[in-house]
Amino acid sequence: MDVSYSAKSKLVCAGGICMSYGELCTTSNFTFLKGASHPEELVTRAVELGLSAIAITDQNSLAGVVRAYAALQEIKRSITEDISIRSNEQIDHSSRQVSQGTSISRPELNKPLPKLIVGTRLVLEDSAVHWVALPKDRKGYEALCRLLTLGKRRAPKGECHLSSRDLLEGCSGMTLIAVPQEDYIDAADFIAAMARTYPSNVFLGCAPRYDGSDQASFDRCMELSHATSAPMVAIGDVLMHHGSRRQLADVLTCLRERCTIDDIGKRALPNAERRLKGEQDMARLFLNHPAAIRRTQDIVTKCNFCLSELSYEYPTEAANGESAQDRLVRLTHLGLKRRYPNGTSERVQGLVRKELELVNTLGFASYFLTVYDIVVFARSKGILCQGRGSAANSIICYALGVTDVGPETITMVFERFMSEHRGEPPDIDIDFEHERREEVIQHIYEKYGRHRAGLCATVIHFRTRAAIREVGKVMGLSQDVLSGLTGQIWGMSGNVVDEKRIRELGLNPSDRRLGQTLRLIGEVIGFPRHLSQHVGGFVITQGRLDELCPIENAAMEDRTVIEWNKDDIDTLGILKVDILSLGMLTCIRKCFDLITTHDGPELSIATVPQEDTKTYDMLCVADTVGVFQVESRAQMNFLPRMLPRTFYDLVIEVAIVRPGPIQGGMVHPYINRRQGKEAISFPSVELEAVLGKTYGVPLFQEQAMQIAVVAAGFTPEEADHLRRSLATFRKMGTIGTFRDRFINGMLERGYDTGFADRCFTQIEGFGEYGFPESHAAAFAMLAYVSAWLKCHHPAAFACALLNSQPMGFYAPAQIVRDAREHSIEVRPICVNNSNWDNHLEKRTDGALALRMGLRQIKGMRKEDADWIVNARGNGYHDIPSLWHRAGVTSGALERLAEADAFTGIGLARRDALWQVKAIRADTPLPLFNDPIDGEAINEPTVTLPVMNLGEAVVEDYVAMRLSLRAHPVELIRPSFSNITPHAELPNVPLGRVTVCGLVITRQRPGTASGVVFLTLEDETGVSNVVVWAKVYEHFRAIVMGARLLKVSGYLQREGIVVHLIAQDIQDMSYKLSELGHPMDNSVGETLPQADDAPRARASTSAGRAFHPRDQANKLFPSRDFH
Amino acid sequence: MKRRVVSLWFPSMSSELILRKEHYEGPFAVVAHIKNGNRLLCLSTMAEQRGLKRGMGLADARSFCPEIQTVEHNLQADVAFQNSLVRWAKRYCPWVGKSGIDGLYLDVAGSAHLFGGEDAMLHDMRARLIRSKLTVRIGLADTVGAAWALARFGEGCAEGGRTGQAISALPVASLRISAKEDTTLQRLGVKTIGQLANLPRATIGQRFGPSVLMRLDQALGDQSESISPEANPQTYSTRLTFPEPIGLAKDVMAGVERLLLRLCEKLTQDMMGVRVLSLICRRIDGADQQVELRLARALRDQQRILPLFKKGVDGIDAGFGIDQLRLVATQVEVLQVEQVAHSQTQYNSDGLHDLMTRLGNRIGLENIQRFLPAESHIPENSFIVSPAAWSESVGSWGNVNPRPIRLFPPEYVAARGHRPPNRFNWRAMSFTVGRIIGPERIAPEWWLEDENWRHGVRDYWKVETLEGHRLWMFHTPQNPNWFVQGVFA
């Protein structure tokens, strides 16, 4: 074992013909917490090194291969199209932060691109030998998928249990490379057995370790190879694409092993040699075994499977001997007759013909039929649903009943979203009622079987917050510093962690360890962490799905998930149907039911009267609590300026208050033009056709793409590529080049720079939060229907809204309050009248009153409520009778008493609670089950102090999060002077005003540069407070933590929209404890969707006038107890 | 005689304990890990003024008040401090007990007059505690419960026999009931102790079980509650007084033998072993002679300890004679009873430990050291040297790559190239290279700053010279240089 390497290898370049090397074993970061490079980076580096091939072989997984495939495609395209990829910026989708991340520079090319080999590193439960399995052809790939599915389906989520036996049975069609982990001797038998089973397909992998014993281990490997007749092949056993990732690899090891970097010890990588190496390096290392290098090339030529071969077969959906296309045509015409009872116009007929033809050419008929079948199933079960997405707004879908938005309302043309050259599947999402979506999902599993249907995965990435917390912990930053760093993230924009903030935390940014930590945090952001299930994207196949992709169990019961996510599926052109859930649909369906029960007409989304003036009047004054999509504060402010009068106005309304148009600066020009403050002009005649309906301002994603074609001279393919770069290849940052081309293209055609800039900024915004017209139209439909219901059946709407909670933007307190403002009587919870759900009661004057249901009681279980309702008979006359008959637990009785539900039987809350407290057993004792006169225990009567109003209000909030008695501010108001009630705000003279109210929303939108918007509520109404960033910095703690605020500032009015610009803010939360109740911190709880402040706040009940002992007691159960 | 109980409560003990030692500018808080999060445990006044509260999460507190400075809670220090407060409080009365983690009980019945009456005594307590920068709340009553209530809810002094009136207006929470019971009572409108006491007893028992009633009775004195004073810590010392002074080393040794026998019996009883022993010989002229014995491991075997005293005793200057011997175990450790093994395979380290003790008492026990493996790839960091008496040896080193037997700081060798040179000079000798094995590449531990590794990655080679040396050499490719770092045997 003497002499090892010579500096220059002569054998390799003998005769000037260079031998080529293909890397056959790389671990990407889809082997979670192990691999230290993205698959994209590995591929790009392989191109740079001029390798003949690279195999992505993650541990028991194929999750990363599509990324690598897409990256290779992108590189190919960049070479052929001569677009250099140079942006280094990467966006953390979750926190909307830009960080320096993966960068792909255009490689220097003097060699053909490497071949991508799809593969897996099989790690077995009963053997220390790892196997790199590389499918040779489609058959081999299918076998590999089946093998992985087998292992994954019998293991819990995220694991794969395979044994050596499985391998001996199911590895045909693959090249297998054994990678012994420990002792070579023990491995021999197994390898020999494999070599016997799969003759000439088994190899022995040999990886250099650079630990001084390489030559010796190569020689031993050689011996083993002789003994087992598995030829030796060189592999790199690569963990990272570049040596600089060693630090990250060590950090990942720490995360995996749950230790800090200082305790990592020998688990750290001794050097950075597990990087991707070029053939020169490998040839030098394997100088004495050149055949091992040459053999990689043999294997590369043998493995000819490419992901593009996955000829994916969609279920035919043919039925009764009728082909899919025929069936679609028949159903479409049937539907048209229903939709247009008076016959179809020439235009519609033309459209239908055109669309059907296109569907036929592209062969997507079965896809439409699948969607149709699912919708029909949902309808048969009475589940409300609506399709959306570009293809959903076609006339075919309108005829099939997938959507109720008529194609005439939309400007778009069908082929724009489904064109031949795009060769991409159409996009239909179907929304279902959120409470009943699971039924639809299980129906799909049942209909197609688990071997044919599966949900997409979602890759959960390291996000900024998690990255700081976890990497920081590994690097040994103290909890203090960590919570400081993460605490500062709230509402932070721009780069990962900026230096000023660090200095503010009292840290030294030039500290070496801190610098390393921050850099590693930046590197780890965007790393995949684990797979989760997609919200509802189904992949359905004609043949076996487990031959297309491995299937694994999801964390949720009865769900199975494939390993690829949405982007991967897009890349491979696999169709998916999105089965999504939408709370508003539940609400609308419940509302329809309520109206029918109370003698109203039978309604459906399609039969709700369109273009109703009263409904639009209501929308114009922003009376929209509970209305879908337009209930948020921003929308409410925008409605009075937008003044929607027709359906298309609503479509725009839904689309415009979004990050895309806001970042693109399109909102103001649009509103000015609409209000006639600015002349409507078009940058050019061609664009008039594109932007006509939106007054010359691009608002929708489709328009942006059309601008690229019409105004910037992109071909449709390029525009499509641009869109895909935005959506799929965000990571690779191809945007920069497009920007130049786009803007130059527009300038050449005579548009001005400002307009071009704005258009492109908007396109970028769309990339993240794209909102196409078709989606907007579907949402606008629901917005209109919910507005119509609110306008014409307010009681039923409020009732349905409460019964569909949790959903929407507002808490029940605001919904009830809004209902009462619309003069609907709201009746309190009563054990003798309430059901589980809220319901409507007919009043003597014929109007409907809303009776609150038991579901409004915090902590009440549906089962208990059902018992109470079912055993009610003619009503309960006292608490024991309820207890005996309904058989509910004492806990449930307590909940009822707390919610004051016994008033109906003549018991005040406190007395009821006193009685309930005496019941301590969970079930009645048999002896007292039927108390006979004189045998029941007589308790001495106790007169408890009467509950004052303040206490009663707090009790209401504790039990139900709302009160029908009084508003807390009403009770506190006398102790203030000079406070303007909110209802007065529109009338008082402009100037300095002070208001006081409970905080109901607290928002800090990413698009508003640090401004915080607060909504306060008092007994008369709500007020909108704007806190500028400077004021916020000053009152930061109060704004974030308080529940009751007193705000002074200047009024601003625009039409009916009133804003208070805060100057001075005071925390008045302590006033709530003056209401005299120990649990006053229940007053002023906000919902997460309406409050951006950190959640921990609620639990710490900051702002309460606490005696220190109280807090101490809460934290530490006093040690005086023995 | 009626009891009179003083309850002392130190609401900010943890933070004041730290602030007494160190000055912090600005808001300050003690932080502890409670309920899955770091929470503020104790605050300085300034932090309270900034709106921070006890029990708040640290992350929240930071966003409220970014400049807050924090210190981790040290429970041991708090307990130790409370113990010292107990000792201090014994100046007022012998019956002192702990209350929770931040308070004391004193039964001052019969001792108050020594300080000029109850008022004067409380005044004295307060004055002394304020002088030592401690915030204190004091309550005085006939019962433990009432004193506790008064200390924590509105400081006061209940006259003898009037406990009921004194606490009737206090909130029910002052009864040391659980937070849940407190809330429920308040929700029922029962807010003060007086109100609770007026309710029919049976109804309370029916609803809250016995605990609330027990606390009420304890506070009102209807049920007794004891103060358990702390026991003194166990000491291990024995003493032997002679009727006639002795002066011979032999006699002293005989005395030590007797003392050891008694001491070791006591240690065996408590399953303790001694680590440091101190022999104090009182001379008749009053000058004490002291011999200290430090053992390499905890022992309680007088046969083995006794000979170790020999050297120390020889060095004693007896003067006019010694009339008393005291043997004190100044440092003890828990030492479990062990099974005596007779089999040959058992490795008996007693001899080694005795040797270490013997040597240690001459050259200092901490000067006897041993090598232990450390978890690191870096050769310089792959071992640690630790005092032999305070570490256990680990069986094997389990190293895959054998390391040289001698390792020294890298010594420069003039050479070039990536592979070991054929001829080189080192330590004024010239060598011709025979066989080489390598390279083993080791990269610096990037998370540490190590001056020795400033040249970056090292490629280690095992080099056999024709002259017969086996050297461990390395090359730093990033900064081309050659070094010798070790010699194989």
Side-chain angles (χ1 to χ4, degrees), chain A residues 153 157 438 441-442 445 450 455 533 552-561:
Chain A
R153 281 303 302 276
K157 176 188 181 284
E438 191 62 29
I441 289 179
Q442 292 305 330
Y445 277 132
R450 278 177 199 277
L455 280 166
Q533 60 178 28
E552 65 175 14
N553 293 325
M556 262 170 93
E557 217 179 304
D558 277 346
R559 297 254 181 113
T560 45
V561 179

Side-chain angles (χ1 to χ4, degrees), chain A residues 793-841:
Chain A
H793 301 275
F797 184 69
C799 186
L801 206 52
L802 286 173
N803 287 344
S804 313
Q805 291 295 319
M807 61 156 282
F809 192 73
Y810 292 102
Q814 278 90 48
I815 298 168
V816 167
R817 174 202 161 79
D818 184 66
R820 296 173 98 196
E821 274 172 10
H822 289 79
S823 41
I824 295 161
E825 184 190 341
V826 181
R827 295 179 174 172
I829 298 171
C830 168
V831 284
N832 280 332
N833 290 304
S834 292
N835 300 331
W836 166 252
D837 277 331
N838 301 280
H839 68 277
L840 298 175
E841 290 176 350

Side-chain angles (χ1 to χ4, degrees), chain B residues 370-386:
Chain B
R370 71 165 114 226
F371 289 106
L372 289 174
E375 284 281 302
S376 173
H377 294 295
I378 305 287
E380 293 94 320
N381 300 344
S382 63
F383 60 88
I384 47 172
V385 179
S386 80

